[in-house]
Amino acid sequence: MAILGKRLKKAREDAGYTQMEAAKKLGVSNGTLSGYERNYRDPHTEILNKMADLYDVSVEWLMGRTESPNRSDEEEFQAFASNPELNHFFRDVAASEEQDQEELRQIWEIIKKRRNNKNS
């Protein structure tokens, strides 16, 4: 699975993290992250999911199953909804008026387009 290491490194660099910064955010040692990126070690599923979230790419792309690093809408929603820091915000949005929700959808589409343009 040599592609995993290459894509982990690319995703980290594209996200603007040094190896030490990413390791700290992921809760692993720098040596462990280095091992993942050099294909000496395979990350557990939990760490792989954390990396995909941190780098804002899909697990499918990291694993070499797709050529597009962008997450599907479902993957983006799951990452958003399951993030403890955003959980309160998510509940507020769900309880808000439909007009407010529509505004937030439009804002989110703008953010996604900007991110996709940045990744292109």
Side-chain angles (χ1 to χ4, degrees):
M1 194 181 285
I3 196 163
L4 177 61
K6 289 178 186 178
R7 288 192 173 178
L8 286 173
K9 183 176 181 179
K10 177 176 178 15
R12 176 182 55 76
E13 290 173 343
D14 288 352
Y17 292 109
T18 65
Q19 210 171 53
M20 293 193 64
E21 291 169 334
K24 185 175 181 178
K25 288 185 176 287
L26 294 166
V28 299
S29 72
N30 188 49
T32 297
L33 183 57
S34 175
Y36 297 153
E37 291 183 0
R38 293 184 297 152
N39 291 305
Y40 292 156
R41 303 180 70 155
D42 289 328
H44 293 285
T45 304
E46 179 183 343
I47 295 296
L48 188 60
N49 285 324
K50 281 184 174 182
M51 287 188 280
D53 289 344
L54 179 63
Y55 304 149
D56 197 27
V57 296
S58 72
V59 171
E60 296 293 312
W61 179 77
L62 288 173
M63 302 283 296
R65 293 181 174 174
T66 181
E67 292 304 310
S68 174
N70 299 328
R71 297 190 215 191
S72 69
D73 288 342
E74 179 62 23
E75 287 174 308
E76 286 189 12
F77 173 76
Q78 289 303 323
F80 175 80
S82 64
N83 183 327
E85 294 174 8
L86 298 175
N87 199 291
H88 178 71
F89 176 73
F90 178 70
R91 284 191 300 248
D92 285 349
V93 169
S96 67
E97 293 182 18
E98 193 171 323
Q99 182 180 358
D100 294 338
Q101 290 178 3
E102 181 55 33
E103 278 186 62
L104 284 170
R105 277 188 207 89
Q106 291 171 4
I107 292 168
W108 184 243
E109 289 302 318
I110 291 168
I111 292 168
K112 285 177 22 179
K113 284 179 185 175
R114 187 175 353 138
R115 182 179 52 225
N116 288 338
N117 289 339
K118 180 181 171 186
N119 290 338
S120 297

